[in-house]
Amino acid sequence: MDHLAEVSARVSEEIAKNSIRDMNTLLCELSGDTQLSREDRYTQQQRLRIAVSKHSTEKAQLAEQRRQWLTQGGLIN
């Protein structure tokens, strides 16, 4: 397996785990990966950035949904 395939598999694994800390750690590691071309490094980092952004958006949406459920009709359900 070549280096790009290994990195791509690792990025997919971190995205599947959905841990912001681990995705950010890998994002930083990729910044210094000299074995990848600039384009390949950017592509893998972009996958991580999108996953982090999506995670944050979903978290905010769930919090808003929970708030609406808790305040629905002035009663806590």
Side-chain angles (χ1 to χ4, degrees):
M1 184 183 277
D2 69 335
H3 185 64
L4 177 57
E6 290 173 6
V7 169
S8 182
R10 187 166 174 215
V11 168
S12 295
E13 182 180 315
E14 295 302 335
I15 290 171
K17 283 198 275 182
N18 204 25
S19 169
I20 297 294
R21 185 192 65 191
D22 294 340
M23 286 189 278
N24 280 332
T25 299
L26 183 54
L27 191 61
C28 292
E29 286 177 26
L30 288 174
S31 293
D33 191 332
T34 58
Q35 295 181 35
L36 294 175
S37 70
R38 183 177 182 195
E39 293 79 18
D40 291 336
R41 188 171 51 245
Y42 175 81
T43 299
Q44 298 307 316
Q45 288 177 316
Q46 194 63 14
R47 289 178 60 205
L48 290 166
R49 288 184 195 105
I50 290 168
V52 167
S53 174
K54 184 177 178 182
H55 181 281
S56 299
T57 301
E58 287 174 352
K59 187 174 179 179
Q61 289 171 343
L62 288 173
E64 176 59 23
Q65 185 179 40
R66 183 173 186 273
R67 185 194 67 75
Q68 287 177 1
W69 285 341
L70 289 174
T71 59
Q72 184 177 13
L75 300 174
I76 296 177
N77 297 326

